[in-house]
Amino acid sequence: MRRFILLIAVVVIVFTTRHIWMEPAKELLPASIIDPIQRDMDSSVDHLSDLVQSILPNQNSLSQTEDKEIERPAPELGTPDQLFSVHNTELGDSRTDVENELGEPMRTSRNEYGLDWVAYHDDYHEFVMVAYDAQDSVKGLYTNQDLISSTTPIEYGTSKDVVREQLGEPEAYMRKGLYRYEVNQDQEYDLFQLGDSYVTVFYDKHQDNMVTAIQLIDSNLEQSKKELYTQASNELKEGFEYQLFDLTNASRVNHGLGVLTWDEQVRETARNHSSDMAENQYFSHTNPQGQSPFDRMEQDDISFKTAGENLAYGQMSSIFAHEGLMNSQGHRENILQDRFLRLGVGVAFNDQSQPYYTENFFTS
């Protein structure tokens, strides 16, 4: 019995002091080692707690306290289950209810979660993308327009400081399988795990870090995606291309600009450059043959009076690629250039399924 009590004491000491030694350990050991230790330790403590309760019934209050510490529930915000909605639509709503609110979809394209983004808009006004599961239940939402509602003071145009005051510190890492990936490195967005959803709030660095877009993803859907990058496919490539085109037009409408026309011919020019970068492992507007974007367009018999090119690499989706481009001054200027009339987007993946994005803008 003394040995058993000693064992309990040792485990309790190790567990209750983990806030002291776990963080330094994370700095010295990779996540693939330290996280299984954390997971196994929590599992062992749960098992031991159950065993202690069966032997020492009068320790129930201690066991319940331990369980609460392990679970670490989200802070109580005094709000309903859903903190956010987009155009009166929430996660879990039915497709029937959504389309009664938003109307008929304008485009359906594959996304990184193995579902489709279904886009709703009126000539890119009131732009919303919705992801449905096999039961037509909403599992993902996105908008980059003034369509955000919340039980908190957060809305389109709210400052980053207010967002963090309301939601707390954002996540620093996202777990995928055995690995943890650092997020929010450039401070262009914040990721929060709130109840049964992951909320990504995007900021506009050129407008005082105000909220410019929001993405809501069901927690189970996010956790079902075991890798940072989704396995490359032609369907995903085309999905990313059309999504980036739609996101660009939605941003132009926000700034009072005209909608760009999709151009199939320059899409091939863009695809070829993305493929070249992915296959030859470089990232530049000038290819190894010394050709500029304008040289490549002329080579493909595309006549233009003015033209421009945007490149992005490594972002896990078209949404993150677009928000990053909007926070880069030169790329932003191309997206919001009123002289451009046409756009083609080309995507390619390298052998690690990392996407390369090329946007070619022009006016004939």
Side-chain angles (χ1 to χ4, degrees):
M1 188 65 175
R2 289 181 179 176
R3 291 182 179 178
F4 180 72
I5 293 174
L6 179 60
L7 175 61
I8 293 173
V10 170
V11 172
V12 169
I13 291 170
V14 171
F15 182 73
T16 56
T17 61
R18 70 196 186 286
H19 65 284
I20 298 174
W21 58 264
M22 183 63 75
E23 289 304 319
K26 288 179 180 178
E27 298 295 326
L28 299 173
L29 296 173
S32 59
I33 295 175
I34 195 67
D35 288 335
I37 293 174
Q38 171 91 61
R39 184 171 58 251
D40 293 343
M41 184 180 68
D42 289 348
S43 177
S44 298
V45 171
D46 287 342
H47 179 72
L48 186 57
S49 176
D50 292 339
L51 184 59
V52 170
Q53 288 185 57
S54 65
I55 297 175
L56 303 172
N58 58 354
Q59 298 299 314
N60 283 342
S61 60
L62 175 61
S63 300
Q64 290 167 3
T65 302
E66 295 281 7
D67 288 343
K68 290 178 182 177
E69 175 67 16
I70 295 166
E71 291 174 4
R72 293 184 183 177
E76 190 64 47
L77 298 174
T79 61
D81 291 340
Q82 299 280 342
L83 286 180
F84 293 97
S85 65
V86 173
H87 206 316
N88 297 320
T89 299
E90 296 181 346
L91 296 179
D93 285 354
S94 71
R95 183 165 186 157
T96 298
D97 290 341
V98 172
E99 296 192 347
N100 285 338
E101 175 71 27
L102 303 182
E104 293 298 312
M106 304 302 291
R107 192 192 307 280
T108 298
S109 56
R110 185 49 52 101
N111 66 28
E112 68 275 18
Y113 293 101
L115 302 179
D116 293 327
W117 279 126
V118 181
Y120 301 88
H121 59 85
D122 179 9
D123 202 23
Y124 292 100
H125 295 271
E126 299 190 336
F127 178 81
V128 179
M129 295 200 302
V130 184
Y132 302 100
D133 66 9
Q135 288 72 46
D136 278 339
S137 176
V138 176
K139 296 300 178 184
L141 284 164
Y142 169 87
T143 188
N144 61 355
Q145 295 186 346
D146 189 6
L147 302 171
I148 303 167
S149 297
S150 178
T151 56
T152 73
I154 299 169
E155 58 186 12
Y156 186 88
T158 299
S159 73
K160 179 192 290 188
D161 290 342
V162 170
V163 172
R164 292 185 175 184
E165 286 171 6
Q166 292 296 316
L167 302 183
E169 283 300 308
E171 300 290 329
Y173 298 93
M174 169 68 81
R175 170 159 294 288
K176 292 294 177 186
L178 296 177
Y179 299 97
R180 290 188 314 162
Y181 297 93
E182 188 174 1
V183 297
N184 197 31
Q185 297 179 50
D186 299 323
Q187 302 289 308
E188 294 180 356
Y189 66 89
D190 282 336
L191 173 67
F192 303 93
Q193 186 173 6
L194 303 174
D196 293 331
S197 64
Y198 284 89
V199 177
T200 306
V201 182
F202 297 94
Y203 304 107
D204 190 331
K205 292 169 63 175
H206 300 283
Q207 295 188 342
D208 299 322
N209 278 319
M210 72 173 196
V211 174
T212 191
I214 193 168
Q215 177 180 267
L216 313 176
I217 300 294
D218 176 84
S219 292
N220 290 331
L221 178 60
E222 184 64 62
Q223 292 305 318
S224 71
K225 183 172 175 279
K226 299 301 184 183
E227 304 288 341
L228 186 64
Y229 296 107
T230 302
Q231 184 65 38
S233 69
N234 288 332
E235 193 175 23
L236 185 61
K237 173 174 67 175
E238 186 173 274
F240 280 174
E241 290 169 348
Y242 282 125
Q243 289 154 26
L244 200 48
F245 174 78
D246 288 344
L247 292 163
T248 298
N249 273 330
S251 289
R252 287 175 65 88
V253 165
N254 286 346
H255 292 267
L257 299 172
V259 171
L260 300 174
T261 300
W262 177 263
D263 190 280
E264 191 65 30
Q265 187 177 5
V266 84
R267 174 208 217 173
E268 291 305 312
T269 303
R271 272 188 174 180
N272 289 338
H273 187 56
S274 289
S275 296
D276 190 34
M277 289 190 292
E279 291 170 7
N280 293 294
Q281 301 179 7
Y282 72 96
F283 184 66
S284 173
H285 292 287
T286 303
N287 65 19
Q289 290 73 44
Q291 293 178 313
S292 70
F294 315 109
D295 295 329
R296 293 190 291 272
M297 291 173 69
E298 288 175 349
Q299 180 177 281
D300 291 342
D301 297 323
I302 297 169
S303 176
F304 58 90
K305 295 177 182 176
T306 183
E309 179 177 83
N310 282 351
L311 302 179
Y313 158 66
Q315 293 87 351
M316 54 193 164
S317 76
S318 52
I319 288 175
F320 284 85
H322 174 72
E323 297 299 337
L325 290 168
M326 283 295 290
N327 274 317
S328 171
Q329 186 61 46
H331 298 106
R332 183 188 183 94
E333 289 174 0
N334 278 340
I335 291 170
L336 302 180
Q337 175 57 255
D338 61 354
R339 292 179 297 168
F340 291 150
L341 299 178
R342 307 182 75 82
L343 170 63
V345 182
V347 171
F349 300 90
N350 64 15
D351 57 8
Q352 296 178 324
S353 291
Q354 296 171 325
Y356 288 74
Y357 307 84
T358 301
E359 298 178 317
N360 284 142
F361 305 82
F362 74 104
T363 297
S364 300

